[in-house]
Amino acid sequence: DTEVTQTPKHLVMGMTNKKSLKCEQHMGHRAMYWYKQKAKKPPELMFVYSYEKLSINESVPSRFSPECPNSSLLNLHLHALQPEDSALYLCASSQDWSGSRETQYFGPGTRLLVL
Amino acid sequence: GNSVTQMEGPVTLSEEAFLTINCTYTATGYPSLFWYVQYPGEGLQLLLKATKADDKGSNKGFEATYRKETTSFHLEKGSVQVSDSAVYFCALSRGNTPLVFGKGTRLSVIA
């Protein structure tokens, strides 16, 4: 089973709202990732968690706040977003973050619209 | 730094045509190479991968061979179907660095 699940599938929020995106995997993977994908572009890495610790933050604005409560769950808390933050947010996981042969498995994404 | 270059799309083919999507890379050492596919309105799915030179990845009729001498990982399929219409991303992974994606190639297959 190589399934990564994400909820919600779609989200519409105002610029003053607070919302959270959720990601879950049960493959025993120890690395989890958040990506942002704009239309007709490849995914852009936002955060990497390895063994539940934040390993990489690609200079993401503080209005995006990641959280890894345990090895199976990854959240992305959203606050005071801007319309340009509207995008598809993808979660991924891999066995580890330590080797070039690790395969990342992606979830179906949350399509976010900020009004 | 590491980079991936894919052929520009969109690519439009008739059903049962032969498909080639070119992908070349720049990287030090021996990266792992991947093809991901993104169907409309969905996330990315791993299509195939290769982790060392001369390896051939294959899945669902798609193939790609890791060519170190030409730094290439071209995607091929002998006979495409309408259901293959999607965006295809070539990507590489090298050590503890983020996955590097190409810009993606949109494929449209018409009946």
Side-chain angles (χ1 to χ4, degrees):
Chain A
D1 182 13
T2 56
E3 188 178 25
V4 176
T5 59
Q6 290 187 244
T7 56
K9 191 172 176 62
H10 299 277
L11 179 63
V12 180
M13 61 186 290
M15 289 188 284
T16 58
N17 293 158
K18 287 185 180 181
K19 297 286 185 183
S20 296
L21 310 184
K22 297 185 184 303
C23 173
E24 191 166 6
Q25 56 87 14
H26 293 289
M27 296 178 276
H29 289 175
R30 303 315 299 264
M32 296 186 76
Y33 312 77
W34 280 115
Y35 288 85
K36 174 182 177 180
Q37 187 182 25
K38 300 286 274 185
K40 300 187 178 181
K41 298 289 187 184
E44 298 174 11
L45 183 66
M46 300 174 72
F47 303 104
V48 179
Y49 272 83
S50 177
Y51 289 85
E52 301 163 45
K53 288 185 169 31
L54 184 64
S55 295
I56 290 183
N57 176 342
E58 292 283 8
S59 303
V60 178
S62 59
R63 57 185 184 268
F64 295 91
S65 175
E67 178 196 20
C68 190
N70 60 55
S71 60
S72 300
L73 292 174
L74 186 66
N75 298 323
L76 185 63
H77 302 298
L78 313 174
H79 173 55
L81 294 194
Q82 303 297 311
E84 59 264 29
D85 296 321
S86 298
L88 181 68
Y89 288 84
L90 295 164
C91 174
S93 71
S94 64
Q95 186 68 40
D96 209 334
W97 172 236
S98 60
S100 64
R101 286 164 177 70
E102 298 299 336
T103 299
Q104 290 186 28
Y105 296 92
F106 286 79
T110 293
R111 194 163 297 280
L112 174 67
L113 177 62
V114 182
L115 300 176
Chain B
N2 300 330
S3 66
V4 173
T5 302
Q6 282 181 246
M7 62 186 290
E8 295 282 334
V11 174
T12 301
L13 295 173
S14 297
E15 210 166 21
E16 300 184 4
F18 184 86
L19 168 71
T20 299
I21 300 178
N22 290 338
C23 171
T24 57
Y25 68 89
T26 301
T28 56
Y30 296 91
S32 293
L33 300 172
F34 306 86
W35 277 102
Y36 285 89
V37 58
Q38 187 170 32
Y39 298 102
E42 298 186 10
L44 272 69
Q45 297 178 24
L46 177 67
L47 183 58
L48 53 84
K49 68 177 184 179
T51 58
K52 60 183 188 294
D54 300 324
D55 265 2
K56 177 185 281 188
S58 60
N59 186 26
K60 300 181 181 180
F62 291 89
E63 293 183 341
T65 301
Y66 188 144
R67 302 284 188 201
K68 181 72 175 172
E69 62 277 12
T70 54
T71 61
S72 64
F73 193 55
H74 304 321
L75 183 68
E76 296 182 338
K77 186 176 185 183
S79 175
V80 294
Q81 305 300 311
V82 172
S83 57
D84 294 325
S85 298
V87 179
Y88 293 81
F89 291 98
C90 185
L92 73 81
S93 174
R94 176 81 181 101
N96 280 8
T97 57
L99 196 60
V100 177
F101 287 96
K103 292 185 176 181
T105 302
R106 182 174 300 276
L107 170 66
S108 294
V109 181
I110 53 177

